Amino acid sequence: MKFVIAQLLGLMAWFIDVTSYWFENKKKILYVQVIADVFFVCHYCFLGALVGVVTCFICLIREISFYVVNSRKGENLVYYFTVFLYIIVGTMCADTVIEWLPILAEIIYSYALINDEESIIVGGIIDSFYWIVYGIVINSYAGVLTDVIVIISNWIVLRRKSKEIKKIN
């Protein structure tokens, strides 16, 4: 039963997470991702995936912090603080290379968050590849589905933005 609940929570997180990248504004992307992260924390908790739980919890803190901070200096502080937290979590919780993948993914995505919206979209694609491998290993079918759809969705968004830029020029 816990497994079914985990997958249902993961599917809810999936829907919310995928739609976050459709927004044009960084603040809106972050706001929606905070909601998705709550579901992802619960999803990985029900799967018994400690690294997933802690990594997503730090994501939640990171996204709330980026949402609140209104300066480049503040964003850089959030970035360095979350990278520090991810490294601490990795050294304390990750026993295998596979368990380091979500941590590395979120370090990369954190860097994308201190840049523009297009960087966030590309960062989401890179982030998802790492999470797919982790999700397969821990039987997070909803998580794998999420990341595959994020990759496809973000690729479509990037192509659409590219076409819009070409039309303007």
Side-chain angles (χ1 to χ4, degrees):
M1 185 63 167
K2 285 173 69 173
F3 183 76
V4 173
I5 293 170
Q7 299 308 322
L8 290 173
L9 289 166
L11 287 173
M12 292 183 341
W14 157 73
F15 178 76
I16 296 165
D17 191 52
V18 168
T19 60
S20 73
Y21 293 102
W22 298 346
F23 292 99
E24 297 287 326
N25 178 303
K26 183 176 177 178
K27 290 267 189 194
K28 288 179 183 175
I29 292 169
L30 290 169
Y31 180 80
V32 175
Q33 286 184 350
V34 164
I35 298 166
D37 284 338
V38 170
F39 284 99
F40 276 124
V41 166
C42 296
H43 167 72
Y44 290 113
C45 187
F46 273 94
L47 287 173
L50 178 62
V51 171
V53 171
V54 179
T55 302
C56 287
F57 185 74
I58 295 171
C59 291
L60 182 69
I61 293 167
R62 175 193 65 199
E63 282 143 13
I64 290 169
S65 300
F66 273 123
Y67 185 84
V68 172
V69 169
N70 290 319
S71 70
R72 180 69 175 171
K73 184 178 179 181
E75 286 184 345
N76 286 339
L77 287 171
V78 170
Y79 169 72
Y80 290 116
F81 178 70
T82 55
V83 167
F84 173 75
L85 287 177
Y86 287 129
I87 291 170
I88 296 296
V89 164
T91 55
M92 292 175 63
C93 299
D95 295 326
T96 66
V97 172
I98 297 296
E99 289 179 330
W100 272 96
L101 291 178
I103 295 164
L104 295 173
E106 294 310 323
I107 289 172
I108 293 166
Y109 189 67
S110 294
Y111 182 74
L113 287 173
I114 62 173
N115 292 290
D116 60 7
E117 286 79 9
E118 197 166 293
S119 297
I120 294 171
I121 294 166
V122 172
I125 292 170
I126 296 167
D127 174 87
S128 291
F129 279 111
Y130 284 81
W131 278 98
I132 285 172
V133 176
Y134 179 72
I136 290 169
V137 171
I138 64 161
N139 297 319
S140 172
Y141 304 122
V144 170
L145 175 66
T146 299
D147 292 313
V148 167
I149 303 242
V150 164
I151 290 168
I152 294 167
S153 175
N154 284 11
W155 184 257
I156 291 168
V157 170
L158 282 176
R159 288 193 46 111
R160 188 174 356 126
K161 285 180 180 274
S162 173
K163 287 179 183 178
E164 288 172 7
I165 291 170
K166 286 180 183 177
K167 284 181 184 177
I168 292 171
N169 292 329

